[in-house]
Each structure stands twice: as structure tokens, then as C-alpha cells.
Amino acid sequence: MSEQYKKVAVLVFELEAELRRQGLWSEQRPSDEALSSTQPFAVDTLTFTEWLQFIFVPKMEYLLNHSLPLPKGCHIKPMAEEALKDIEVDVQKLLEIIEHIDAQMQ
């Protein structure tokens, strides 16, 4: 496993842990229809944290576990900042993790 893959794997783990710590991890899976959105970040069917949990994290884990190419230029942080700006928990750590993920996938 390359150094980049190791770093991204740690960051994805930290992302999940922070979502759980902040109470933003859902125990209820969205419908298959909601998960099949073709819109960026599934904005038409999911909240941003649902997108992270049910689409982004599983996709990244799949890519990492199968040594497949990682996406380039994700730029997730701007969306995260907008989507989380009115949330009532401290999302600073979450934004930092997302920023590090973006940096690894340049």
C-alpha cells in the first residue's frame, strides 16, 4: 500500500470517528432511491453528512481495499463548509479532516 493510500485510509477512519463523535452518524440507511442520486453530493436526496456516511466513506474504503485509483481533485471542503455552516455542533475538526482528504487527492 502506498504512502498516499495509508494517509487516506487513516483520514477516512478519522472522518467516520468524528462523524460518530459529533452524533452525525446515522443508524438508518437511506433508501436505495436516495442513494442512487446522480447529483453532486446527492444534494437532491441526502444531507451532506449522509452523503459522507453512505456514499463517500464506503466508496473510499472500496477503492483503498482494492488498491484502485483514488479520485483526483475532490474539493469536498467548500461543500462541507456550506452544508455544515448552520449545524449546532462544533464541526471544526470535521472540516480539518475533510481538508486533509482534499489535500491527499490533488
Side-chain angles (χ1 to χ4, degrees), residues 80-98:
E81 290 172 326
E82 180 63 27
L84 302 174
K85 70 181 178 186
D86 296 324
I87 203 162
E88 294 186 18
V89 297
D90 181 8
V91 295
Q92 188 57 43
K93 178 69 174 169
L94 190 58
L95 292 173
E96 288 173 13
I97 294 167
I98 291 169

Side-chain angles (χ1 to χ4, degrees), residues 4-94:
Q4 178 194 24
Y5 275 57
K6 289 176 188 175
K7 288 178 181 178
V8 171
V10 168
L11 290 166
V12 169
F13 178 81
E14 289 177 1
L15 177 65
E16 179 177 337
E18 185 62 16
L19 286 167
R20 288 180 185 274
R21 189 179 77 75
Q22 292 291 352
L24 300 172
W25 192 263
S26 177
E27 296 304 321
Q28 186 168 352
R29 184 179 185 277
S31 70
D32 289 340
E33 182 179 330
L35 293 170
S36 64
S37 170
T38 59
Q39 295 296 311
F41 304 102
V43 295
D44 58 334
T45 59
L46 302 175
T47 66
F48 181 71
T49 56
E50 288 173 328
W51 176 81
L52 286 172
Q53 178 181 350
F54 294 103
I55 295 178
F56 182 75
V57 169
K59 179 178 181 174
M60 294 306 297
E61 289 174 342
Y62 180 85
L63 295 174
L64 292 163
N65 289 336
H66 293 88
S67 299
L68 295 171
L70 298 176
K72 295 286 184 202
C74 286
H75 307 292
I76 300 168
K77 189 176 180 200
M79 181 61 185
E81 290 172 326
E82 180 63 27
L84 302 174
K85 70 181 178 186
D86 296 324
I87 203 162
E88 294 186 18
V89 297
D90 181 8
V91 295
Q92 188 57 43
K93 178 69 174 169
L94 190 58

